[in-house]
Amino acid sequence: MIEYLLGNFMVNTGIITREALERVLDIQDKARMKIGVLAVMEGYMTTAQTRQVNFVQTMVDKKFGEIAVEKGYLSEEQVEELLQKQGNEYLAFIQRLIDEDLCSIEEADAILYGFQIENGFTDEQMDSFRAADLEGIVDMYLPAGAAECRKLAVMAVKATIRGIDRHAYIGQAYMTDKYNAVSPVTQYIEGQTDFISGIADISNGMCSVATVFGRMLYDRLDEDTQDACGEFLNCINGLFVSEESRYNKVYELTPPKIEQNGEFVSDGILVLPVFIRDKSFAFIASEHTWNTHC
């Protein structure tokens, strides 16, 4: 996520071209390996074991290393070794920019400062950015009034990065009482506090989600695309329910619901744009039930 958030700023301000950014990311992808791949290469885990850990990640909000340790596949020392080899995403991106002669170390500091000023981020928030703290970065883009739906938003971003595209990133979220939803899929989360969340299209982002999650090509918005996105939404909300159960909070999920284009109306709807390369969808959530006007 960091590479696109900062990279897009650099493109928009004319520091680098879009082509240069994509070249850097392509090189970075080839250089950076997932922890599971590194574990297999080091002989610490088998491919079958990594697949088991990846499957568990679709149900619980835990990092690969945490699950591997719990299952006895890796020791904590081995996880730390693999993390060091994998590296910090922010530092890796900056290093790649420098290696490609797109900026110097001094210029990198100035670029980051410009990014901070343009977005109005605090020094503390920028510490989270440099540390590649995903939850801290999500908080940077959430508006006031989004506290109730924060955990759902974090789960949506984590699931997208882990399951759809590791380069997925977010835009500035906002609160609204009315939202015009395109091809929405929604799901109720029933508990002591009821929630409702959903996925709506912005620019063919739902097709990208469905193609990866459904493991076949979806190139248009239709019920099949919505159905595949419904499974992904169920995964997001399942992670939320699993995480909340650790605090003795019990929630039940109703089946995802495919809806027609329409206006959602509620006392407060969080809208979080999620980008997958040049496509995007909106993750929407509310602590209140919303009404749909088709």
Side-chain angles (χ1 to χ4, degrees), residues 65-80:
E66 290 181 79
I67 299 171
V69 170
E70 289 177 358
K71 286 185 167 293
Y73 297 153
L74 294 174
S75 67
E76 292 185 358
E77 291 76 16
Q78 288 172 328
V79 170
E80 182 62 29

Side-chain angles (χ1 to χ4, degrees), residues 171-219:
Q172 182 60 52
Y174 60 93
M175 301 296 297
T176 183
D177 293 336
K178 296 179 181 179
Y179 181 73
N180 290 312
V182 177
S183 299
V185 181
T186 63
Q187 186 172 38
Y188 285 100
I189 307 170
E190 300 175 339
Q192 184 176 355
T193 300
D194 291 341
F195 292 94
I196 183 171
S197 71
I199 294 175
D201 200 62
I202 298 178
S203 60
N204 289 322
M206 289 179 66
C207 290
S208 295
V209 170
T211 295
V212 175
F213 205 75
R215 296 185 179 181
M216 61 179 291
L217 178 63
Y218 292 85
D219 56 5

Side-chain angles (χ1 to χ4, degrees), residues 31-43:
R32 180 185 185 277
M33 294 185 180
K34 292 183 177 180
I35 290 181
V37 175
L38 288 172
V40 172
M41 291 182 64
E42 294 294 325

